[in-house]
Amino acid sequence: MTCLELKSVSYRYGGARDLVLDGISASFEMGKVYAITGESGSGKSTLLSLMSGLDICGSGDILYMGKSLRDIDRDAYRAKSAGVVFQSFNLLLNSTALYNVTLSMGISGIPLDSNGKKMAAQALLEKVGVNSATASRKVLKLSGGEQQRVGIARALSHNPDVVIADEPTGNLDAETESAILKIFADVAHGDGKCVILVTHSESVTAMADEVFSLCDGKLAYGEAKREDEFGL
């Protein structure tokens, strides 16, 4: 089932003559992991911001479940339908991991009382490998890998159809990277979400179901071969 579709998407930065994205078309389905690769400055993060509803394309269209992001409430789209994992995590450093997730649930309007949100957030953190002791610590006291797990839990806190991550393993060691990628694989193949990873990492492209390469404003498609180490 296609949940996100790009139709001849083009974009240029304000005042620039050249297009950073030039007539891009692609479809993304539920239950799959997608990797989008490209050199620094190729427009990967710009494409991510468009797909997550943080900006609108100059021409063309992006459809979520057949509806244009131009025509829907994009704040509601991010709060309920799309979960974003930021490269710099964007967590509240002086708050606990648990609070970061329950706060997201509150913003999204999850119909649970305070205790219910805490229980649901703890279960979600456990799912991504954060135990109760770690969940109770302030984020600034956590390692990079632990913060990334909290960021993933926060992105999943409103049960979105689409999970979009910007360089999710860029600052992690190989062992932690493998564990984080296993989480994304489980989210797609186990929970049926559409997972889109913007990346430079060969490990990410190796575990993805489909790979796109962004170069000179164009998006090229190629089939990925997944590695056995992820159990896929």
Side-chain angles (χ1 to χ4, degrees):
M1 176 182 177
T2 298
C3 63
L4 201 64
E5 184 176 6
L6 312 180
K7 301 182 71 173
S8 301
V9 170
S10 294
Y11 185 90
R12 62 165 49 89
Y13 300 124
R17 289 192 308 170
D18 296 332
L19 291 169
V20 62
L21 302 175
D22 186 6
I24 287 175
S25 295
S27 295
F28 302 91
E29 299 178 357
M30 305 287 285
K32 287 187 175 182
V33 178
Y34 297 87
I36 298 177
T37 68
E39 299 295 328
S40 295
S42 63
K44 300 189 306 298
S45 293
T46 299
L47 181 57
L48 180 150
S49 72
L50 297 178
M51 292 190 294
S52 60
L54 293 168
D55 202 351
I56 289 293
C57 51
S59 63
D61 212 350
I62 298 178
L63 307 179
Y64 166 68
M65 297 301 187
K67 296 181 179 179
S68 172
L69 294 190
R70 298 180 186 275
D71 299 331
I72 65 176
D73 183 334
R74 288 184 287 125
D75 288 335
Y77 166 70
R78 288 192 302 276
K80 299 179 183 299
S81 303
V84 182
V85 182
F86 297 95
Q87 183 176 7
S88 57
F89 310 139
N90 286 17
L91 299 169
L92 299 177
L93 297 180
N94 283 309
S95 298
T96 66
L98 186 65
Y99 179 76
N100 272 268
V101 179
T102 58
L103 178 63
S104 177
M105 289 179 170
I107 292 172
S108 301
I110 300 296
L112 294 171
D113 61 19
S114 178
N115 189 54
K117 287 187 179 71
K118 287 181 180 179
M119 292 178 64
Q122 186 60 67
L124 193 53
L125 286 163
E126 291 278 359
K127 180 177 179 179
V128 299
V130 178
N131 61 33
S132 58
T134 303
S136 299
R137 295 169 60 195
K138 288 186 177 181
V139 169
L140 59 81
K141 299 292 186 179
L142 303 183
S143 69
E146 289 169 334
Q147 289 188 33
Q148 186 64 287
R149 292 172 190 269
V150 176
I152 295 171
R154 183 184 60 182
L156 296 174
S157 65
H158 51 282
N159 195 29
D161 292 322
V162 183
V163 178
I164 303 170
D166 189 7
E167 297 286 0
T169 64
N171 300 314
L172 305 179
D173 60 68
E175 182 178 355
T176 304
E177 178 184 49
S178 180
I180 294 298
L181 293 181
K182 180 64 166 60
I183 292 170
F184 282 120
D186 289 344
V187 168
H189 305 142
D191 300 336
K193 308 297 184 184
C194 174
V195 176
I196 303 171
L197 309 177
V198 172
T199 185
H200 283 101
S201 170
E202 292 183 359
S203 296
V204 176
T205 59
M207 60 78 69
D209 297 295
E210 298 184 22
V211 176
F212 293 94
S213 178
L214 188 59
C215 182
D216 296 328
K218 301 291 188 180
L219 196 66
Y221 171 79
E223 189 77 18
K225 293 183 178 180
R226 297 180 298 185
E227 295 182 345
D228 292 339
E229 67 178 286
F230 296 101
L232 305 175

